[in-house]
Amino acid sequence: MTDIEHINISGTLKKVLYHNSENNYYIAVLENNQKICGQYFDTDLKKLEGEDLILSGNWETHNKYGVQFAFISLEIKQNEVFFFLTKIVKGFTKKLATEITKKYSQDELYEILDNRPSVLLEFKGVKEKKLTQIVTSWNQFKHLRELASFLGEYGVTKNLINKIFQELGHLENLIEKIKTNPYSLIAIKGIGFKKADEIALAFGIDMRSNFRIKACLDYALREYCEANGNSSISKATLFSALDSSLNFVDEDLLYENVIIEMIGEKSLVETTKDRYTTNMLYFCEKSILEFFQKRKNRQMPNKIVKDFDTYLAKKEENIGFKLSEEQQKAVRLINEGETTILLIGYAGTGKSTSSRAILELLEEVVNYKEIHCMALSGIASQRISETTGYSSSTIQSMLMAHKEKDYFPYKVLLLDEASMVNSITFYQIISKISDDTVFIIVGDDGQLPAIGAGDILADAIKFNLAPLSKLTKIYRQNELQAIAVIANDIREGNIPSYKSEFADFKFVDNSIENYYALKNSISNYEMNGVRNENNYKILNSILNISATYIWHIEQHIKDKKISKALTTFQVITPMKNGILGVENLNINLQKLLNNNNSKGFQSRTYQYKLKDKVIHTKNENMKSLSMTDYKNGSSEFVEKRIFNGMLGMIIKLDFDNEQCVVLYPNDDSVVFYNFAQIEPLLSLAYCLTIHKTQGMEYETALIPMTFTHFIMHNTKLLYTAITRAKNMCYIVGEKEAFESACKKLEITQRETVINDILGDGGLS
């Protein structure tokens, strides 16, 4: 690797101007008005405002921000021990740190903290509880120093060392694990193959070793498949990714040999000629195909009701609604003996009504308690239960509740929002379904596909894997209801009649005057300035509309209807960063919608306060209680799986025990987070990305629309966002951006194992 000569500058940090929480990238300004930029992981850089710094890096010129110093390392000019005691190690006040550093040298203090921490009890304000906090935090810091000493020899920056420690510091023998396999660092968010490879090469690994190429191939495969939604990859795409990451040219033979070795080890599978996938994805999708194939030949022996037309007429009289021919088809399929069907419908076409009719027909031959519904999110699960009248739960809670059993204990299972379910989760479901269970798969193929690898619903429709009932007719009570009509126009790539007056849809125009003429007459830099100025106008409009929901949200909280409070109003945006990105909108909406003035906990990204609306962001086993046990003061915690996407509300912040308590009303869970778990596991949820809201439903949804988000605009994304709204949808922003998004058809097809297998002529 080429060594770059860096220069050092020093100065006092005046103010942080920008922070990207995704990669901890900062832009800040020193007291002398010099701008600095770079990544910093030790602590929130805002905590260092007023501190004297020494920075190493180089000057660069940015199109927007001008001349700034890009630092690769940032050190505190003051006594380093004092800094870490007050900024990193928990339990030290500035007064206590001053007294201790005056009395002991650095070596003496390290020896005391390592071996004789009880000495600190001699200092005023240090009691047993405080000492325990100090010792626990110091031991973590000690391991960080050991890691820094080891990796520092190989040119690993301090910032990267801190990031590695944050993610893996809990592991025993971490240094040995990194020595054995530096590519294990790829598991850390933000560390791709390139950074891990730099460390491995510094260790002296052979550039052409199979170990290195395997690590790169595995990374390329996971990035292309799981990160981008595909479940298989072509040889050409894979080899191109390897060339780029390994800095090789024309090494196809080397790659071929590694592929043969990985296939032999069963870590890689060739799905069809020159296409590959992981063993796990191949097993899951092949098993799903076999499941559908087997059930095509398995039908119920007799019709459920012999005189179907008479039965249907009576049923329609009871439900007060006449089923269309499309809706009747789904019910007829089940009556004729089908044990697996696909019920596919766009927004407003009556999927819930059809689902209810199907389940009520099946109740003629099975017990009510033997019928069960499931969906990926708690809100979707609750909704299908309310609309059908049958019990429901989330997929993950179903899997957890019956993990010791061979099969789910139900005769009828309905899977709702099936477009959201990826290959691995779908396999987990079907592996628990017995041969005599009726399986109804309900979904909307106009929505965004699942997060994760695979596109099971689309493949099932494409390859006719099960009998299909397609609902296309939109139902609405009157001409003033437009959400479903507008959403379906967009799904087809048409600009809807969005400017009319509707009861449930409103476009709030914050357009840039003469947008296209202006865009063609000024520079990109000037146009970015115009867009930013307009984005602030859009932000103000969003806040003005949001303010009208404050009373409703507060009333629901007062009435202890927390689930209602969480779903009354939701802002949904395509991107995380920028003026109209998730982070900035969350900060502004929190100030508006949560007027609680009690002390909050400051993480790197947000300050968390009592009554804040939050979302859990990573599947994790957590310490929890049921709502009843929590109210009764129980301390008999259970470990419960808390899933990515669960919406909750902070009901307690315990600063003495450094705990945040969150109520998840749809899952009957009260979950306890240590303050250290907040940053990686929680986020404010006043604003969410469109992907995060899949499967959710809100009384009112508001969607910003700006050309700043143009890269994310397409029909599927916009259709999905609009159909999250139950009673009212606001689009706020630029009409040109909205119309452009309506015409940008999303036709990308995911590459899947199922497509590979069936494209080759069927199952082998």
Side-chain angles (χ1 to χ4, degrees):
M1 293 182 291
T2 305
D3 290 330
I4 300 172
E5 188 174 337
H6 300 294
I7 60 174
N8 293 332
I9 66 168
S10 61
T12 304
L13 183 62
K14 181 180 179 181
K15 188 178 181 181
V16 172
L17 304 175
Y18 170 78
H19 175 211
N20 183 338
S21 59
E22 287 292 300
N23 57 10
N24 280 325
Y25 179 82
Y26 290 88
I27 298 174
V29 64
L30 304 178
E31 290 287 0
N32 61 5
N33 291 323
Q34 289 177 339
K35 283 184 181 174
I36 62 170
C37 62
Q39 290 179 296
Y40 189 70
F41 294 95
D42 284 1
T43 186
D44 186 345
L45 200 59
K46 288 182 180 178
K47 292 183 180 180
L48 303 188
E49 288 177 357
E51 300 283 357
D52 292 330
L53 308 177
I54 300 173
L55 304 104
S56 178
N58 290 98
W59 292 101
E60 64 175 28
T61 301
H62 190 278
N63 288 339
K64 181 177 178 182
Y65 297 104
V67 177
Q68 53 189 17
F69 188 80
F71 63 84
I72 59 164
S73 69
L74 182 154
E75 305 288 341
I76 313 300
K77 215 172 185 180
Q78 65 179 21
N79 182 296
E80 188 175 356
V81 177
F82 181 84
F83 165 73
F84 278 106
L85 292 184
T86 55
K87 302 288 187 180
I88 306 296
V89 180
K90 294 174 183 175
F92 282 97
T93 62
K94 283 191 175 181
K95 183 179 178 183
L96 179 60
T98 301
E99 290 177 7
I100 289 175
T101 51
K102 278 183 179 179
K103 185 168 183 178
Y104 300 112
S105 68
Q106 176 176 302
D107 290 342
E108 288 172 333
L109 181 55
Y110 281 10
E111 191 276 327
I112 289 169
L113 287 166
D114 286 341
N115 305 311
R116 298 180 293 123
S118 58
V119 170
L120 300 182
L121 292 170
E122 299 171 5
F123 290 86
K124 187 177 178 180
V126 181
K127 306 294 184 186
E128 288 291 347
K129 187 175 180 181
K130 175 78 74 176
L131 183 64
T132 300
Q133 184 186 33
I134 288 172
V135 170
T136 301
S137 185
W138 174 258
N139 284 335
Q140 291 176 335
F141 174 54
K142 182 174 69 173
H143 295 315
L144 171 60
R145 288 188 289 119
E146 291 170 353
L147 183 67
S149 176
F150 164 64
L151 290 177
E153 294 180 20
Y154 299 97
V156 183
T157 66
K158 186 177 177 182
N159 287 346
L160 186 52
I161 290 168
N162 275 282
K163 185 158 192 177
I164 293 167
F165 186 77
Q166 287 170 15
E167 295 287 335
L168 303 177
H170 63 284
L171 297 177
E172 291 185 12
N173 303 318
L174 175 58
I175 291 173
E176 288 304 314
K177 284 181 168 64
I178 294 173
K179 280 181 182 177
T180 303
N181 181 13
Y183 295 105
S184 62
L185 298 175
I186 292 171
I188 298 171
K189 187 176 181 181
I191 298 183
F193 175 81
K194 185 178 179 181
K195 286 185 179 178
D197 193 43
E198 286 176 3
I199 295 169
L201 291 171
F203 285 178
I205 191 170
D206 182 355
M207 288 188 70
R208 296 175 61 82
S209 71
N210 281 12
F211 185 73
R212 179 175 183 245
I213 295 165
K214 280 183 185 179
C216 187
L217 193 149
D218 183 64
Y219 175 74
L221 189 62
R222 283 190 293 109
E223 278 296 293
Y224 187 78
C225 290
E226 294 172 32
N228 296 319
N230 304 291
S231 58
S232 71
I233 186 172
S234 70
K235 178 189 281 189
T237 303
L238 180 59
F239 283 13
S240 176
L242 292 173
D243 283 343
S244 176
S245 296
L246 295 168
N247 292 318
F248 287 162
V249 178
D250 296 330
E251 291 288 359
D252 290 9
L253 184 59
L254 185 62
Y255 302 155
E256 294 274 10
N257 290 335
V258 171
I259 283 174
I260 291 168
E261 188 175 326
M262 291 179 73
I263 290 173
E265 296 168 349
K266 297 189 176 177
S267 59
L268 191 70
V269 176
E270 187 172 24
T271 59
T272 186
K273 183 172 173 53
D274 294 339
R275 293 195 64 83
Y276 304 98
T277 187
T278 64
N279 187 56
M280 169 64 80
L281 289 173
Y282 182 76
F283 173 78
C284 288
E285 294 204 18
K286 191 168 187 293
S287 298
I288 291 166
L289 266 180
E290 290 167 346
F291 169 85
F292 279 117
Q293 187 181 58
K294 182 170 67 174
R295 290 176 75 89
K296 266 193 171 182
N297 303 317
R298 186 180 296 278
Q299 291 189 320
M300 290 181 280
N302 301 305
K303 289 183 178 182
I304 296 174
V305 294
K306 291 183 179 178
D307 189 347
F308 183 75
D309 291 334
T310 301
Y311 165 83
L312 198 61
K314 287 182 180 178
K315 185 58 66 177
E316 288 173 340
E317 191 176 321
N318 290 339
I319 64 176
F321 183 84
K322 186 171 178 62
L323 297 178
S324 69
E325 287 187 16
E326 289 179 337
Q327 292 171 318
Q328 285 182 28
K329 180 185 175 183
V331 188
R332 284 183 188 276
L333 283 169
I334 293 296
N335 191 61
E336 294 295 325
E338 296 293 348
T339 57
T340 309
I341 68 164
L342 298 168
L343 176 59
I344 308 302
Y346 303 125
T349 56
K351 293 190 296 296
S352 296
T353 302
S354 302
S355 297
R356 176 183 166 187
I358 290 169
L359 297 180
E360 288 186 359
L361 171 66
L362 285 161
E363 201 181 336
E364 298 287 327
V365 290
V366 302
N367 188 286
Y368 172 83
K369 291 184 178 179
E370 294 178 313
I371 300 173
H372 197 75
C373 307
M374 56 182 161
L376 201 58
S377 73
I379 290 174
S381 165
Q382 183 178 3
R383 185 176 69 244
I384 193 65
S385 181
E386 290 170 351
T387 54
T388 63
Y390 293 89
S391 65
S392 183
S393 57
T394 64
I395 294 168
Q396 296 297 343
S397 62
M398 275 271 285
L399 292 170
M400 292 295 289
H402 304 293
K403 64 180 178 180
E404 303 299 329
K405 299 175 183 176
D406 290 335
Y407 300 110
F408 294 130
Y410 302 105
K411 294 294 185 185
V412 176
L413 277 173
L414 184 146
L415 171 63
D416 196 26
E417 299 281 6
S419 65
M420 293 177 59
V421 182
N422 62 34
S423 299
I424 292 174
T425 304
F426 200 93
Y427 165 74
Q428 290 173 322
I429 294 168
I430 59 103
S431 67
K432 291 276 187 182
I433 295 178
S434 62
D435 289 346
D436 60 351
T437 296
V438 177
F439 188 33
I440 301 132
I441 303 163
V442 183
D444 179 351
D445 60 331
Q447 288 189 29
L448 291 169
I451 296 171
D455 204 357
I456 299 301
L457 185 67
D459 282 345
I461 296 168
K462 177 181 178 181
F463 293 110
N464 192 29
L465 298 183
L468 170 68
S469 177
K470 186 94 177 210
L471 307 179
T472 58
K473 183 181 177 182
I474 298 170
Y475 295 91
R476 53 179 178 168
Q477 293 175 341
N478 58 65
E479 289 301 311
L480 294 179
Q481 287 187 318
I483 289 175
V485 176
I486 286 173
N488 279 292
D489 281 344
I490 292 167
R491 178 184 58 78
E492 294 175 344
N494 301 319
I495 298 172
S497 301
Y498 66 95
K499 296 178 183 177
S500 303
E501 289 291 325
F502 300 109
D504 62 352
F505 183 90
K506 185 172 183 180
F507 185 88
V508 180
D509 194 351
N510 282 266
S511 298
I512 298 170
E513 193 172 349
N514 299 319
Y515 174 81
Y516 289 109
L518 191 64
K519 184 174 180 286
N520 292 327
S521 63
I522 62 176
S523 69
N524 288 338
Y525 177 77
E526 291 171 313
M527 194 65 206
N528 284 337
V530 171
R531 284 183 180 137
N532 282 339
E533 184 180 343
N534 196 63
N535 284 342
Y536 279 112
K537 291 178 183 177
I538 296 171
L539 174 61
N540 286 331
S541 290
I542 291 170
L543 296 176
N544 287 336
I545 294 167
S546 304
T548 64
Y549 289 87
I550 295 173
W551 183 87
H552 300 279
I553 295 168
E554 290 181 346
Q555 193 63 40
H556 287 318
I557 295 173
K558 186 179 177 181
D559 295 339
K560 298 185 178 175
K561 296 178 179 178
I562 305 304
S563 184
K564 284 273 190 185
L566 295 173
T567 56
T568 290
F569 180 76
Q570 184 65 51
V571 177
I572 306 171
T573 192
M575 299 184 79
K576 293 182 179 180
N577 301 319
I579 298 164
L580 298 175
V582 166
E583 187 174 315
N584 190 52
L585 281 167
N586 263 324
I587 291 168
N588 281 277
L589 289 164
Q590 181 194 42
K591 292 174 185 174
L592 179 73
L593 300 175
N594 186 359
N595 60 7
N596 190 288
N597 293 319
S598 60
K599 183 181 177 183
F601 170 77
Q602 182 67 53
S603 76
R604 282 187 186 149
T605 310
Y606 301 120
Q607 184 181 65
Y608 292 86
K609 302 191 297 182
L610 198 64
K611 296 197 294 186
D612 266 336
K613 177 179 175 179
V614 293
I615 187 168
H616 188 83
T617 58
K618 182 181 178 183
N619 295 346
E620 195 80 15
N621 291 330
M622 300 293 295
K623 190 167 70 171
S624 68
L625 293 170
S626 69
M627 289 190 277
T628 301
D629 287 343
Y630 179 75
K631 288 175 185 175
N632 293 336
S634 173
S635 58
E636 295 185 11
F637 301 108
V638 296
E639 191 175 81
K640 185 172 181 179
R641 193 73 166 167
I642 306 300
F643 296 100
N644 183 4
M646 286 171 56
L647 271 185
M649 180 173 287
I650 295 176
I651 57 173
K652 185 177 181 181
L653 285 168
D654 182 347
F655 288 91
D656 289 335
N657 295 307
E658 296 194 329
Q659 275 192 334
C660 171
V661 184
V662 178
L663 167 64
Y664 293 101
N666 289 320
D667 297 270
D668 186 32
S669 299
V670 177
V671 179
F672 296 76
Y673 296 80
N674 296 326
F675 281 173
Q677 293 176 299
I678 290 178
E679 182 70 27
L681 296 179
L682 276 184
S683 176
L684 291 183
Y686 300 102
C687 178
L688 296 170
T689 62
I690 297 171
H691 285 88
K692 278 289 184 190
T693 62
Q694 280 182 268
M696 304 288 202
E697 185 177 71
Y698 307 94
E699 295 295 319
T700 298
L702 186 155
I703 305 148
M705 188 56 55
T706 167
F707 269 116
T708 306
H709 295 165
F710 181 72
I711 192 171
M712 293 293 288
H713 286 170
N714 63 60
T715 51
K716 272 201 172 180
L717 207 71
L718 192 50
Y719 173 83
T720 302
I722 290 172
T723 54
R724 299 311 91 205
K726 181 180 179 182
N727 294 327
M728 185 67 197
C729 179
Y730 291 96
I731 305 284
V732 183
E734 303 162 22
K735 62 179 184 292
E736 291 89 353
F738 177 66
E739 292 179 3
S740 173
C742 292
K743 294 184 289 185
K744 193 177 176 185
L745 275 169
E746 171 52 52
I747 54 173
T748 305
Q749 297 290 316
R750 288 188 170 186
E751 298 172 50
T752 68
V753 172
I754 288 175
N755 193 72
D756 291 349
I757 293 173
L758 294 183
D760 241 9
L763 290 170
S764 56

